[in-house]
Amino acid sequence: MVGGLKPGDPQLIGRYRLVGRLGGGGMGRVFLGLSAGGRPVAVKVIRAELAADLEFRVRFAREVAAARRVSGLFTALVVDADVDGPVPWLATAYVAGPSLSEAVTGNGPMPARPALALAAGLAEGLSAIHAAGVVHCDLKPSNVLLSPDGPRVIDFGISRAVEAASVTGAGLVVGSPGFMSPEQAMGEDVGPPSDIFSLGAVLTFAATGGGPFGRGSSPELAYRLVYGLPDLGQLPAGLRPLVERCLAKDPGQRPTADEVLAAANAASRWAARPRTHPLRGWRRGPRPHRRQRPRRPHPWSAVRVQSPLGPPRPGRDRGRPSSPWWSPSRRRAPAARRPRPRLRPRHRPPPRPGPPLRPRRPLRPRRRARHHLRRRHRG
């Protein structure tokens, strides 16, 4: 976000006319400038106490020369610099877009797939920076700009000059608490693995909205960096293995920038796989009830036909047409109907007991047999 110039801010730096303020940091202030042809650039002016240090000027010139060899595809290209003037300054290409910290604060954490795309873009930018022999040492959400063509890394390589000045200067902070590596917090030598650790912390912030070691003062965060475990419980499942490898305490166990790029692309392809067909060994769940399935709305559900006899009378014409014109608006669309509850099977009561049955009369002997016996008796 571009703000106006404040009283005491310079109006001209080198050949660039300053028209606004972009921000500030530990090294100095960043202004929006315009070249003679009207091209926007970001001009960073070094603080006066750092400019008085001769060793800082030497290392600053060395890092600016190395930063000019870095490709500007995923970084802010160095346009011009002055390391020998009364106030050292650095001009880079202006990147139109919010920083990662502003985007997450305003829009919330990123989903898994955009976070993997961010990891791939930052890994490719770090690979170009490390190939030029430069170590960023201050990778944090405010130093990542989200441009329309992908993420851009700014302020690369310059923080190494600040680190060198902090050895002789008092009160200067090396790196950003919560995003620096353990070896950087302990004052040891740093290299490309230090940027990989910072990359894991930046990805955690992008996917969860907070750092992997929480919040607190600088000594508390430094202690957690060196001895504590990161909190990765809220990370998406597709991003967690990659971040765990980046946040390893041992620099030798962290992946390189090219390995992070390959892992992010593989995880992104896995997250974007088609899911129309069930996977092998995957069992489909029960199908919903017929009345609970989503139905397509009737093509005339939005058509309203006005009856020539006027509107229907409430309570009388409900359920039957009041004229030869049928008004589809009276009927509710099939998609808007509520699913009817599933009825239980009808219970049939047992039959009622009838009158008691009378006992059956005994059978009489056959008369023919009885007459036969009579004849035999008579004879």
Side-chain angles (χ1 to χ4, degrees):
M1 184 176 180
V2 182
L5 295 177
K6 297 182 180 180
D9 292 340
Q11 301 292 330
L12 188 67
I13 294 292
R15 54 178 181 173
Y16 302 100
R17 180 172 57 89
L18 305 184
V19 295
R21 177 190 285 260
L22 296 176
M27 291 186 59
R29 297 165 295 175
V30 183
F31 300 95
L32 176 63
L34 296 178
S35 63
R39 297 182 181 273
V41 294
V43 182
K44 190 167 188 177
V45 182
I46 306 301
R47 289 163 44 185
E49 54 268 25
L50 293 178
D53 190 353
L54 298 180
E55 185 178 358
F56 173 81
R57 285 177 174 269
V58 173
R59 293 185 176 271
F60 179 72
R62 186 183 306 171
E63 297 299 337
V64 168
R68 285 178 171 174
R69 299 195 302 266
V70 179
S71 174
L73 185 60
F74 291 95
T75 59
L77 185 65
V78 176
V79 178
D80 197 359
D82 184 10
V83 297
D84 298 328
V87 179
W89 56 271
L90 172 69
T92 60
Y94 175 71
V95 180
S99 64
L100 179 60
S101 59
E102 295 174 352
V104 173
T105 303
N107 303 324
M110 288 185 174
R113 293 183 61 182
L116 290 172
L118 175 66
L122 293 179
E124 192 167 3
L126 289 179
S127 179
I129 293 173
H130 296 165
V134 182
V135 181
H136 195 288
C137 296
D138 197 19
L139 184 63
K140 54 185 178 180
S142 59
N143 285 342
V144 176
L145 300 182
L146 303 180
S147 63
D149 57 348
R152 300 289 187 95
V153 180
I154 61 175
D155 289 345
F156 52 88
I158 308 303
S159 58
R160 292 188 62 182
V162 178
E163 179 186 2
S166 64
V167 178
T168 57
L172 298 180
V173 180
V174 180
S176 300
F179 297 96
M180 67 176 70
S181 61
E183 59 270 19
Q184 190 175 357
M186 297 179 64
E188 301 177 356
D189 296 336
V190 296
S194 178
D195 290 344
I196 300 300
F197 188 93
S198 301
L199 174 62
V202 169
L203 295 179
T204 305
F205 175 83
T208 63
F213 298 97
R215 299 180 180 180
S217 60
S218 298
E220 293 177 355
L221 292 177
Y223 182 84
R224 297 173 193 169
L225 282 171
V226 179
Y227 302 103
L229 296 178
D231 184 11
L232 307 179
Q234 299 181 0
L235 276 178
L239 188 64
R240 189 179 306 167
L242 177 61
V243 175
E244 287 179 351
R245 294 178 56 193
C246 293
L247 295 180
K249 300 295 183 182
D250 186 6
Q253 296 181 358
R254 302 170 196 162
T256 62
D258 295 336
E259 294 174 355
V260 173
L261 177 60
N265 290 333
S268 180
R269 288 192 298 267
W270 174 258
R273 70 190 187 279
R275 303 186 181 184
T276 55
H277 301 285
L279 300 177
R280 183 179 300 176
W282 178 73
R283 185 177 181 182
R284 175 179 289 182
R287 299 184 64 184
H289 191 260
R290 182 175 61 86
R291 296 186 182 275
Q292 297 179 359
R293 297 178 191 170
R295 300 181 180 180
R296 297 179 60 184
H298 197 274
W300 281 14
S301 61
V303 179
R304 185 175 182 87
V305 181
Q306 182 66 27
S307 173
L309 302 180
R313 293 170 295 180
R316 296 184 180 182
D317 296 339
R318 183 177 182 182
R320 60 181 183 273
S322 60
S323 64
W325 295 84
W326 175 67
S327 177
S329 60
R330 299 178 189 174
R331 300 183 57 184
R332 301 174 65 181
R337 294 180 181 177
R338 294 183 179 179
R340 296 181 179 178
R342 192 171 183 179
L343 301 179
R344 298 180 179 178
R346 186 173 182 181
H347 177 70
R348 297 182 179 180
R352 297 180 180 179
L357 300 178
R358 292 180 295 179
R360 189 175 182 181
R361 297 173 59 183
L363 296 177
R364 296 179 180 181
R366 296 167 55 179
R367 290 186 179 185
R368 185 176 181 181
R370 185 168 61 248
H371 295 319
H372 175 70
L373 294 177
R374 290 177 181 175
R375 290 197 194 109
R376 285 184 64 180
H377 183 67
R378 291 175 183 177

